[in-house]
Amino acid sequence: MEWSNRKQHKPNTMMMLWNNGHGAIHNNMHFTATGWQPMVIKKRSVATAAVMFLILVSFFVFAGWIDASVFSHTSTQKPLILSREKSKSTQKQEFPLKCTRGNLTKTCPRDYPTSHKPSTNPDRPVPISDKTCPSFFRWIHEDLRHWKGTGITRDMVEGARRTAHFRLVIVDGKAYVEMYRPSIQSRAMFTLWGILQLLRWYPGRLPDLDLMFDCDDRPVVQAKDFHHPNARPPPLFRYCSDGWSLDIVFPDWSFWGWAETNIRPWGGLLEDIKEGNKRTKWMDRVPYAYWRGNPNVAPTRKDLLKCNVSDKDDWNTRLYIQDWVQESKKGYKQSNLESQCTHRYKIYIEGWAWSVSEKYILACDSMTLLITPRYYDFFIRGMAPLHHYWPIRGNTKCTSLKFAVQWGNNHTLKAQAIGKAASKFIQEDLKMDNVYDYMFHLLNEYAKLLKFTPTIPPGAVELCSEIMACPANGTWEKFMGESMVKSPSDSIPCTMPPPYDPSSLQDLIEKSNWSRKQVETWENEYWQSQNNKLKH
């Protein structure tokens, strides 16, 4: 699902504007911070507030987060809701965006609740969730284990700044952000949008914290560099990691929408895929392995194309190249994810690193053929080979894919069960409520490790949904509106499961390895029998 070749980092127009204007913006932000601290608690004059907001807007325009044209022709802008409303169906109080025309001094409203008491069991003095978090939440403990003994100092956080795109500080339930460099497309913007929605979902529940976030694909904090006894690895958040790195995994931006590819926010899209699964019964689906994507982002994907059907070979696959540029020109008519559950088998392969396509593929109840990955995101470690997906060797893709499809077509009930188990996991364990709960518990556990009191950095600005969404237009406006949390949750976060003890974790790893070896054994026996037939 990648947009372009990840090895090419050609700056787009917004990036060039950001780079050209960064010096002036930085100076202004520094003056703002040292002179009158953006969004601090003191009262300011109207003129000062106006200057502050214009500086803030300029920052977001140059950073590529909003379209400057949104501030022209204000008489034709979208209708704006200026007061609280109650849902007629549930009578639950909603807090829509507070946007205004013309009055640009309006920034972050102060009437969104800073706390919310959910309806819990009255017999319990301390609210305890009746729901236990999915098992993959246990990996939060493992991802943070490297700092359990030492804690996290301010210097360690600063040490992660080298590659970070932004710094996020939460103080008294409010978010403050210091931007360092533009991210690929709108990754940083929608990641921050997601964090703001978490604050609206659980107002006042997150502790004060201070973290660095890198929006690029591959992990950079190498474990081998921090083996010595006094090692102090920098805590750095990102979308994926691997077995050789210490980067802390966090839900990716596309859960709130991937505007550049017209992929909707996860909550609504998940329902669409669920309905798409019903359109074609499994036995009526095309009995081949399907993949559509951009092969130019990684050599492994180019190698996958060798497994496509040809006059010479049929590896039981149907592979299609996705040209996102051409697709955008045609209105994304061939990229509706809910319409791609038409084959019995779907292939997942990494791109430059892990790929966001993983969750969309697993959401189909087709059996996922997962080519041996190097990287992991936050949820895949809760899924098991032969239960949720069929493992495919990375070094012999074609023969492994052919055998997998052959096996599935000869064991249709078992293949269906694997596909159903994956889609059930995605539909239930990866619904947006659990995504927010994962974010909550990860940030909460991280904050417990801080050995300093988080404070607002001089170059940071307060960020809220209004600052990001009110000036937005087009797809950005649509996706932010669709994914916005309008009311606090009436439930409390799920109960965090305990860490793995060493023996349980080892058993889990060995069980997964055994399943993969079992598939390799079946595959080897199959091809040996085929070779014997040819000899006779």
Side-chain angles (χ1 to χ4, degrees), residues 194 197-198 201 256 432-440 485:
Q197 303 321 298
L198 172 65
W201 187 242
W256 298 272
M432 279 307 300
D433 286 8
N434 283 335
V435 175
Y436 283 128
D437 279 4
Y438 188 94
M439 295 163 63
F440 172 85
V485 170

Side-chain angles (χ1 to χ4, degrees), residues 138 499-510:
R138 301 181 77 176
Y500 287 107
D501 61 76
S503 61
S504 296
L505 182 59
Q506 185 62 32
D507 288 344
L508 181 67
I509 294 171
E510 289 180 358

Side-chain angles (χ1 to χ4, degrees), residues 74-206:
T74 55
S75 62
T76 61
Q77 292 297 307
K78 57 186 179 289
L80 302 171
I81 302 172
L82 303 179
S83 61
R84 296 183 184 180
E85 294 180 351
K86 288 189 177 182
S87 168
K88 293 180 180 180
S89 59
T90 63
Q91 297 301 308
K92 183 177 182 179
Q93 191 172 28
E94 292 188 355
F95 296 83
L97 292 176
K98 301 277 188 170
C99 301
T100 61
R101 291 193 195 93
N103 185 7
L104 299 184
T105 60
K106 274 286 187 181
T107 53
C108 295
R110 300 303 173 191
D111 59 350
Y112 195 85
T114 56
S115 63
H116 181 67
K117 187 175 181 180
S119 53
T120 55
N121 190 330
D123 296 330
R124 293 173 177 170
V126 179
I128 299 174
S129 177
D130 292 325
K131 184 182 73 169
T132 301
C133 302
S135 62
F136 63 87
F137 280 55
R138 301 181 77 176
W139 288 96
I140 290 175
H141 301 292
E142 294 302 313
D143 289 347
L144 298 177
R145 178 176 54 82
H146 316 286
W147 297 276
K148 291 290 186 183
T150 62
I152 296 172
T153 65
R154 194 185 302 273
D155 287 342
M156 293 165 75
V157 173
E158 291 283 356
R161 179 172 177 165
R162 182 177 60 86
T163 66
H165 288 85
F166 64 82
R167 183 177 197 158
L168 170 72
V169 177
I170 295 177
V171 175
D172 294 332
K174 299 172 185 176
Y176 300 85
V177 178
E178 184 175 22
M179 296 300 301
Y180 299 134
R181 59 192 180 102
S183 69
I184 298 168
Q185 299 176 344
S186 54
R187 292 185 180 189
M189 179 178 75
F190 276 97
T191 299
L192 287 167
W193 174 258
I195 293 170
L196 292 178
Q197 303 321 298
L198 172 65
L199 293 175
R200 289 172 69 92
W201 187 242
Y202 290 132
R205 286 188 172 272
L206 274 177

Side-chain angles (χ1 to χ4, degrees), residues 299-364:
T300 53
R301 288 196 172 185
K302 289 184 177 180
D303 189 51
L304 173 65
L305 292 184
K306 297 176 183 177
C307 305
N308 214 347
V309 62
S310 66
D311 295 337
K312 181 181 178 182
D313 297 302
D314 186 352
W315 300 106
N316 290 338
T317 62
R318 299 296 183 264
L319 315 176
Y320 304 91
I321 295 175
Q322 178 81 349
D323 186 331
W324 283 109
V325 175
Q326 290 300 315
E327 186 64 14
S328 66
K329 294 178 180 178
K330 297 177 181 178
Y332 301 98
K333 295 179 181 178
Q334 301 299 318
S335 56
N336 290 330
L337 295 172
E338 63 270 25
S339 301
Q340 295 185 18
C341 302
T342 56
H343 291 64
R344 292 183 182 178
Y345 315 96
K346 293 195 69 174
I347 299 170
Y348 169 75
I349 184 171
E350 294 179 330
W352 183 244
W354 128 104
S355 170
V356 299
S357 64
E358 183 179 57
K359 59 182 174 290
Y360 308 124
I361 291 170
L362 289 162
C364 281

